[in-house]
Amino acid sequence: MTETSDSVTLTLAPAGDRLPEFRPGQFAMLYAHGIGEIPISVSAIPGDGTLVHTIRAVGPVSRALHDAEPGTVLGVRGPFGTAWRLDDDEGLLLVAGGIGLAPLRPVLRQALACRSSRRVILIAGARTPADLLYREELRRLSDMDGPEVVLTVDRGEVGWNGRVGFVTEPLATHPIDPAHTTALLCGPEPMMRFCARALLGRGVPAERIEVSLERNMQCGNGLCGHCQLGPLLVCRDGPVVGYPVAEPLFPVKEL
Amino acid sequence: MTDPHSGTPLLAGLSEAQRSVVEATGRIEEYTPGTRLFDEGGDADRCWLIISGQVAVDTHVLHRGPVTLQSVGAGELLGWSWLIPPYRWHFGAVTVAPTRALVLDASQVRVLVETDPELGFLLTRILLETLVNRLQATRLRLLDLYRNPA
């Protein structure tokens, strides 16, 4: 399914044995035959053995995956990595930037499926309105009496009546209960860094903030070391880590 | 938790008395979508503490019409050109949703700032925080973080 001019959502059915169930935040290694393998987070967990990934074409492998026709056979390994924390009834604040919305989508869907009294807020940013992922799905959610959805774009266009600005701005003022909010952040590192600072400033405890790190994952098992980030092997110890773990690593240049 | 109904969370750092003095310079107003609050070059004689709704800060670009630069929503301050001479709006502002705001009289607030140094410092700091946050957000947008790296 086409999401934006450079992003698609692929549904993969098992050609052989089913893979174990993924948890929100985890990723698979997807192999485009003859081209290469890259890590891609799950963007939905249907529960029927299929895998759903949203892919933005940025390099040869992701371009090949993006352009895959129905029936194409891909290599898949997984699940790998850590998952988002979803184990309590605290309020849930999801902050996503760009393609970072994809790994948070299963959280949103799971939170809605539980139909608990948990308050769910999604703040998502994109370059332009046309670059917003899952726009129709988010519009439907906004119309429901469910999650609070705040969309903001860097550049507004004619006909866009939503917010124009960076995600840190609605994040700074949207009403939350800081002491009882778990915040999950996914997007470029500078975005997550500033969002985390804004949340700390509002009183959200650091241990209730989680981020998803992106590194050069290759083996997925913590063996090859390509994804090392300080003391972490991101494919094994991440991609989801608590902010207290990530915070001292963020300012280290070229780490 | 920030009280979404107070309308003036930005003033939460003031004492009750200081807050009352500031709020007394203003009044609550409601606007329908499409209401132009001010235009570039006009007298910056008011500022808005947005209670609910959304306002687009815009500028007119030749052959493109008004282009939105920034949105200002609930809990945020709209307009700071009233503090520094020549007290003229640098951009325009138009509501894009039903909007409710506390509208402060800029000349009265300036008098408060100049005659009560303590209150003046606190109000200036509130304004400075808003400016810093917007500057940082603008810088992050300039980085074009969500750009496709290919």
Side-chain angles (χ1 to χ4, degrees):
Chain A
M1 178 183 174
T2 300
E3 299 288 354
T4 68
S5 63
D6 59 2
S7 303
V8 295
T9 295
L10 298 181
T11 300
L12 308 180
D17 293 339
R18 279 173 62 153
L19 290 172
E21 189 91 332
F22 282 63
R23 289 180 293 149
Q26 289 189 303
F27 67 94
M29 297 299 297
L30 300 186
Y31 179 62
H33 288 286
I35 301 174
E37 192 182 47
I38 53 171
I40 304 283
S41 296
V42 285
S43 61
I45 303 173
D48 59 0
T50 60
L51 286 174
V52 178
H53 296 280
T54 299
I55 294 157
R56 178 160 288 175
V58 296
V61 182
S62 57
R63 168 65 61 189
L65 295 170
H66 173 279
D67 294 343
E69 297 286 337
T72 303
V73 177
L74 303 174
V76 183
R77 297 188 292 128
F80 295 120
T82 53
W84 299 108
R85 186 164 90 183
L86 296 166
D87 55 359
D88 58 35
D89 286 327
E90 299 288 320
L92 207 48
L93 171 62
L94 315 178
V95 188
I99 194 75
L101 181 55
L104 286 170
R105 186 188 186 211
V107 178
L108 192 62
R109 287 184 160 195
Q110 191 165 312
L112 293 176
C114 289
R115 298 196 177 279
S116 68
S117 57
R118 165 182 270 196
R119 184 175 173 220
V120 181
I121 303 165
L122 169 67
I123 298 176
R127 202 178 188 204
T128 69
D131 291 315
L132 275 166
L133 295 173
Y134 320 125
R135 201 164 153 187
E136 190 55 31
E137 183 174 330
L138 295 178
R139 191 190 60 74
R140 284 199 306 273
L141 290 176
S142 297
D143 292 341
M144 293 167 50
D145 186 22
E148 299 158 49
V149 178
V150 181
L151 304 178
T152 185
V153 296
D154 288 350
R155 296 203 308 268
E157 291 168 354
V158 175
W160 171 255
N161 281 331
R163 286 192 67 112
V164 177
F166 202 66
V167 285
T168 47
E169 295 169 281
L171 185 62
T173 52
H174 197 89
I176 60 170
D177 182 355
H180 300 99
T181 293
T182 295
L184 312 182
L185 317 180
C186 192
E189 275 187 17
M191 183 210 96
M192 293 193 289
R193 204 166 65 230
F194 277 89
C195 288
R197 283 186 200 159
L199 289 166
L200 292 172
R202 296 191 67 182
V204 177
E207 59 272 18
R208 302 195 72 86
I209 300 172
E210 296 197 330
V211 301
S212 182
L213 302 171
E214 189 175 325
R215 284 296 181 276
N216 176 23
M217 272 91 92
Q218 293 199 3
C219 73
N221 294 308
L223 298 173
C224 74
H226 282 95
C227 63
Q228 184 173 1
L229 176 67
L232 305 176
L233 290 166
V234 176
C235 73
R236 182 194 66 192
D237 306 319
V240 177
V241 299
Y243 186 66
V245 173
E247 193 274 335
L249 302 174
F250 278 153
V252 183
K253 292 180 177 63
E254 306 300 336
L255 190 62
Chain B
M1 178 174 171
T2 307
D3 179 4
H5 306 295
S6 72
T8 53
L10 274 171
L11 306 181
L14 304 183
S15 70
E16 198 63 43
Q18 289 170 326
R19 197 177 162 120
S20 298
V21 169
V22 174
E23 288 177 347
T25 69
R27 63 193 178 280
I28 300 287
E29 290 191 1
E30 296 187 0
Y31 308 98
T32 54
T35 305
R36 184 152 288 279
L37 301 180
F38 54 85
D39 256 322
E40 293 174 73
D43 286 336
D45 56 354
R46 287 166 289 167
C47 71
W48 290 257
L49 302 178
I50 307 297
I51 298 168
S52 62
Q54 188 173 297
V55 181
V57 177
D58 63 9
T59 190
H60 190 87
V61 179
L62 195 62
H63 305 311
R64 288 172 63 189
V67 174
T68 301
L69 302 164
Q70 172 92 49
S71 298
V72 179
E76 295 181 289
L77 170 74
L78 173 69
W80 61 65
S81 302
W82 54 272
L83 186 65
I84 308 292
Y87 312 127
R88 298 274 177 188
W89 297 119
H90 296 100
F91 300 109
V94 62
T95 58
V96 292
T99 299
R100 182 177 162 85
L102 173 65
V103 189
L104 303 180
D105 181 286
S107 58
Q108 290 186 54
V109 176
R110 277 202 301 270
V111 169
L112 291 177
V113 166
E114 286 159 12
T115 57
D116 183 340
E118 185 187 347
L119 178 57
F121 171 73
L122 292 171
L123 285 175
T124 307
R125 196 166 72 178
I126 289 168
L127 195 66
L128 185 62
E129 273 180 32
T130 299
L131 290 172
V132 166
N133 290 338
R134 295 232 177 118
L135 174 62
Q136 285 182 343
T138 303
R139 284 174 165 171
L140 287 163
R141 285 164 69 191
L142 283 173
L143 281 174
D144 203 2
L145 287 171
Y146 308 135
R147 177 177 61 93
N148 185 333

